[in-house]
């Protein structure tokens, strides 16, 4: 049977699978269901694992697989995922990696840094000596500055302060009112503290920032500036620890890809504070990064 390598980019809403030849030549790509053990139901994850393995089997025997997903650093989650893969019939080489690790390999080829600002935020990097460093990723309760959650929270907070008279009026008031069917203390507080409210529910308000900031709203611009400072601090910390001032840097995630006021400020901070760094377009996505890790591990084990 034909041998293949595979990379999985597992998330809370979907999983992208990439299959390649042992030399890295692309074979196939497909998207499946959720694979986030921290957020999805166990049976839903198990179903995704089975579907991914069954589909891969149509292209050959997978001899090296890298699964990238949030939460794999949790020993219990990793053990559960390994068990699901074994129950699905997978017996090849297996690498479990964080979603930031596969994003790094895909975006910069493994040497450089990636700043990711989606619902959460994190930066990770790797130098030519193979040393790695990361900053952020501590979760929304104590960390995740510059993330969609942090921006969404700040948007709601700014509107609440404006309604109280504690803060300046802002265009964000009308934007939040359109989302909630009216902006009042009761509607905002009731929404935020509703039972089973998820951090993604707060992060969705981050998309209100760009229109207000681009219209000159001072409150929105302040929020954008604060988010950019937080994301720049992540990158600066990582590059300093790795002694990698001239790194290729990819800016990824919904905040940095869709919120122009934040991205522009981050790029300006990099130009001023890290002039040797180069902001690049990601070379490949996270699923391809996972496939690259699978290839590297396969070559290390079987080809010295």
């Amino acid at each position: 049977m034909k041998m293949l390598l595979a990379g999985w980019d597992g998330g809370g809403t979907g999983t992208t699978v990439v299959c390649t030849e042992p030399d890295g030549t692309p074979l196939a790509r497909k998207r499946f269901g959720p694979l986030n053990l921290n957020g999805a139901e166990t049976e839903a994850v198990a179903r995704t694992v089975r579907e991914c393995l069954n589909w891969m089997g149509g292209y050959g025997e997978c001899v090296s697989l890298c699964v990238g997903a949030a939460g794999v650093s949790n020993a219990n989650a990793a053990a559960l995922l390994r068990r699901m893969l074994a129950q699905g019939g997978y017996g090849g080489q297996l690498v479990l990696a964080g979603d930031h690790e596969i994003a790094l390999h895909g975006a910069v080829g493994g040497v450089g840094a990636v700043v990711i600002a989606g619902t959460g935020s994190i930066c990770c990097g790797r130098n030519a000596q193979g040393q790695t460093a990361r900053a952020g990723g501590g979760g929304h309760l104590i960390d995740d500055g510059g993330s969609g959650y942090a921006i969404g929270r700040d948007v709601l907070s700014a509107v609440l302060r404006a309604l109280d008279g504690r803060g300046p009026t802002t265009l964000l008031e009308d934007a939040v009112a359109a989302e909630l069917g009216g902006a009042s203390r009761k509607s905002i507080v009731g929404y935020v503290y509703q039972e089973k409210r998820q951090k993604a529910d707060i992060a969705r308000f981050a998309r209100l920032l760009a229109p207000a900031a681009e219209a000159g709203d001072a409150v929105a611009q302040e929020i954008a500036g604060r988010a950019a400072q937080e994301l720049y601090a992540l990158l600066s910390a990582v590059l300093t620890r790795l002694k990698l001032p001239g790194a290729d840097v990819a800016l990824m995630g919904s905040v940095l890809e869709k919120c122009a006021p934040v991205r522009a400020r981050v790029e300006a901070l990099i130009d001023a504070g890290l002039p040797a760094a180069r902001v690049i377009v990601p070379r490949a996505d996270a699923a391809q990064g996972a496939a690259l890790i699978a290839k590297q591990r396969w070559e290390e084990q079987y080809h010295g």
Side-chain angles (χ1 to χ4, degrees):
M1 181 179 286
K2 184 176 184 178
M3 291 194 306
L4 61 87
L5 313 178
W8 295 8
D9 174 20
T13 58
T15 300
T16 300
V17 178
V18 169
C19 293
T20 75
E21 302 269 10
D23 65 359
T25 301
L27 278 176
R29 166 190 289 263
K30 190 171 181 179
R31 188 166 174 83
F32 296 89
L35 194 75
N36 185 341
L37 291 166
N38 289 333
E41 294 182 359
T42 300
E43 179 49 41
V45 173
R47 183 167 56 251
T48 296
V49 169
R50 292 192 300 268
E51 291 175 351
C52 292
L53 291 175
N54 289 338
W55 175 76
M56 286 165 46
Y59 291 90
E61 179 184 2
C62 183
V63 294
S64 183
L65 168 65
C66 175
V67 179
V72 295
S73 59
N74 180 300
N76 291 333
L80 178 59
L81 185 53
R82 289 180 185 276
R83 188 160 60 249
M84 290 176 177
L85 287 163
Q87 290 171 344
Y90 182 69
Q93 184 182 51
L94 176 63
V95 182
L96 300 184
D99 49 2
H100 57 286
E101 296 177 76
I102 61 173
L104 173 67
H105 277 75
V108 301
V111 176
V114 59
V115 182
I116 306 172
T119 302
S121 63
I122 191 170
C123 176
C124 66
R126 182 176 184 269
N127 61 24
Q129 292 72 47
Q131 297 170 315
T132 62
R134 60 175 282 179
H140 69 291
L141 292 180
I142 59 172
D143 200 9
D144 283 355
S147 68
Y149 174 87
I151 292 171
R153 177 202 62 208
D154 288 353
V155 164
L156 293 172
S157 176
V159 172
L160 189 65
R161 293 176 66 84
L163 291 170
D164 283 351
R166 290 180 291 152
T169 60
T170 168
L171 295 176
L172 294 169
E173 294 175 63
D174 288 340
V176 169
E179 291 291 317
L180 297 180
S184 66
R185 164 175 285 276
K186 182 177 180 180
S187 65
I188 293 172
V189 173
Y191 176 86
V192 170
Y193 294 103
Q194 183 178 340
E195 186 179 1
K196 295 184 179 180
R197 178 66 66 210
Q198 300 294 310
K199 60 183 180 181
D201 298 328
I202 306 302
R204 76 181 181 92
F205 288 87
R207 61 186 174 82
L208 306 181
L209 182 69
E214 290 167 349
D217 184 83
V219 172
Q221 291 178 345
E222 180 183 356
I223 294 172
R226 184 161 59 246
Q229 287 283 353
E230 290 282 357
L231 297 173
Y232 172 76
L234 297 178
L235 176 63
S236 179
V238 166
L239 295 188
T240 298
R241 286 161 59 194
L242 291 175
K243 298 181 174 59
L244 201 60
D248 286 346
V249 176
L251 305 179
M252 303 177 70
S254 57
V255 171
L256 287 166
E257 293 170 1
K258 298 179 180 179
C259 187
V262 173
R263 185 185 180 97
R265 286 165 171 78
V266 171
E267 290 185 345
L269 288 168
I270 293 172
D271 287 342
L274 297 165
R278 299 173 296 276
V279 176
I280 66 167
V281 175
R283 297 186 179 108
D285 65 12
Q288 290 170 288
L292 177 61
I293 292 174
K295 179 176 181 291
Q296 290 173 344
R297 294 298 178 86
W298 171 255
E299 291 174 344
E300 289 170 4
Q301 181 169 345
Y302 295 101
H303 302 287

